[in-house]
Amino acid sequence: VTVVDVNEPSLEAGKAYAEQIMGTECTERRIAFHCQDFASFVQDELEQNTQLGSERGQGGKNSPKAFDIVVAWHACGDLSDYAMEFAARTNASFVICPCCYTKRYITGFEPQWIGDYCREVSHTAKPIQSFSESYEVDIVTLQRLAEINERTDVSQRAMMLINSMRMRSLEEKYHKQDQEMNVPTVASNKTKFWLEAYDIEHSSKNLVLVGMQQ
């Protein structure tokens, strides 16, 4: 198990809880705790794997080590998208609960669903940098609507729309990867995607993105 959190007190609290349940020795053996932001963690994984591949004479492999499942709880803004793409890159299942829809933390990272939306409404395959600002206004407006806590009916519909676009873009990415690798149609359907929701009384950000390897 690998735990990544940029908030050191939260990370230490999780470690203390694990030690209380499993004991210190078992915790140290089975769980790795990393106090850093997720983008930095992923970059470190890429560099370590590339170095390891070179040392073994396999050449640099620009992908992190394999994970079974990626879990992100209240992943702010584009961190949700980054976690989903990391899961796709490592061929892992995922359970991700997004929040803070207006926030952008990861420099140089553009969530795929935003580019897909711009290309679809403009009917062009141009790079996202060349889109007019009107499309960006659409995205920003939708993200702000998702954060209107005073109107849960509006925020719920906005969150549902954003997360549906996220899932659609990721599903298309998986399909494209399978086509490039000449994966048979039956085998390419091994990953299932869906949205779930838990009781809004626990949190207004109650939608969960799920992708499971079959």
Side-chain angles (χ1 to χ4, degrees), residues 157-174:
R157 278 182 283 178
M159 288 191 298
M160 180 64 74
L161 183 55
I162 290 173
N163 288 317
S164 295
M165 287 194 286
R166 279 172 163 161
M167 297 293 271
R168 177 186 173 186
S169 291
L170 189 65
E171 191 166 4
E172 289 178 352
K173 181 173 184 175
Y174 270 77

Side-chain angles (χ1 to χ4, degrees), residues 4 10-11 13 20 37 39 42 44 55-56 58 61 70 79 83 90 104 115-116 122 125 136 152 163 202 211:
V4 182
S10 296
L11 195 72
Q20 178 183 344
D37 65 87
V42 171
D44 288 348
E55 291 173 353
R56 292 177 175 176
Q58 299 172 345
K61 294 183 178 180
V70 175
L79 179 56
T90 58
R104 300 289 295 273
D116 288 348
S122 64
E136 295 181 10
T152 56
N163 288 317
H202 299 294

Side-chain angles (χ1 to χ4, degrees), residues 25-81:
E25 182 179 349
C26 185
T27 298
E28 291 178 350
R29 187 173 67 253
R30 298 183 61 183
I31 306 177
F33 293 88
H34 298 266
C35 187
Q36 61 184 137
D37 65 87
F38 188 65
S40 297
F41 167 78
V42 171
Q43 187 59 41
D44 288 348
E45 286 288 307
L46 292 173
E47 292 175 357
Q48 290 174 14
N49 195 60
T50 299
Q51 181 179 357
L52 182 61
S54 298
E55 291 173 353
R56 292 177 175 176
Q58 299 172 345
K61 294 183 178 180
N62 191 25
S63 61
K65 66 183 180 183
F67 288 85
D68 294 318
I69 185 168
V70 175
V71 179
W73 186 248
H74 281 209
C76 290
D78 55 357
L79 179 56
S80 291
D81 303 285

Side-chain angles (χ1 to χ4, degrees), residues 94-98 101 156 160 163 167 193-199 205-212:
F94 62 83
V95 178
I96 297 170
C97 182
Y101 286 79
Q156 285 286 310
M160 180 64 74
N163 288 317
M167 297 293 271
F193 305 92
W194 69 92
L195 279 171
E196 291 192 6
Y198 57 86
D199 198 324
K205 304 299 183 289
N206 66 327
L207 296 182
V208 183
L209 304 156
V210 182
M212 286 295 167

